[in-house]
Structures are given as structure tokens and as C-alpha cells.
Amino acid sequence: MFKLMCLCLCVMVGNAEAERVFSCQNRIKTKSRMLLNITQLDKLITLSYAGIPIEDVNYEAAGVIFDRQPQRI
């Protein structure tokens, strides 16, 4: 019982992390981007939340992945 109580003390009680993700989502999904599906939105949130500097993005690799995707309307 003591061990269980100690583990309960280690659990984070706040929801600040979730709030940050929701704020990030609201910055990405604007009125002009309402057609984003869940998969695309999830990837954009992950990229934004990771905080990768724009200088470190490999645009050639991103272009190859983009070209492999089905044709967009």
C-alpha cells in the first residue's frame, strides 16, 4: 500500500501539457485551413510542438515525400 501511495505522489496533476497542445492546434487550424484532416493536423502539431528550427528542415526530403502522396484536388 505504501508503494502505491508513493507512486500516486509522482503522478502529475496538472493539464498544462494538454493546454499547450490545444493552443498549438488553434494556431495551426485557422478558418483558411478548415479542410485539414486529422492525420495532417496531427503531423503539423507534432512539427510545431517539437520546436525544430526552420534552418534544420530538410526540404528535399520533404519534397520527395510530398511527391509520393496522391494527387490533390
Side-chain angles (χ1 to χ4, degrees):
M1 189 66 148
F2 178 74
K3 204 174 214 182
L4 179 62
M5 289 172 47
C6 287
L7 288 173
C8 288
L9 292 175
C10 296
V11 175
M12 301 216 28
V13 181
N15 63 350
E17 189 76 21
E19 293 295 331
R20 284 188 205 106
V21 173
F22 284 129
S23 295
C24 183
Q25 172 189 319
N26 292 337
R27 283 191 305 271
I28 292 171
K29 192 167 184 177
T30 60
K31 287 184 180 182
S32 62
R33 293 182 175 172
M34 292 304 283
L35 296 178
L36 287 174
N37 64 32
I38 297 298
T39 305
Q40 291 171 326
L41 184 60
D42 185 46
K43 289 177 183 178
L44 290 171
I45 290 171
T46 302
L47 283 173
S48 177
Y49 198 66
I52 299 171
I54 196 75
E55 298 85 24
D56 295 344
V57 175
N58 186 345
Y59 292 104
E60 291 178 18
V64 170
I65 293 170
F66 181 80
D67 288 339
R68 288 187 202 151
Q69 299 299 314
Q71 191 68 22
R72 289 159 179 78
I73 297 175

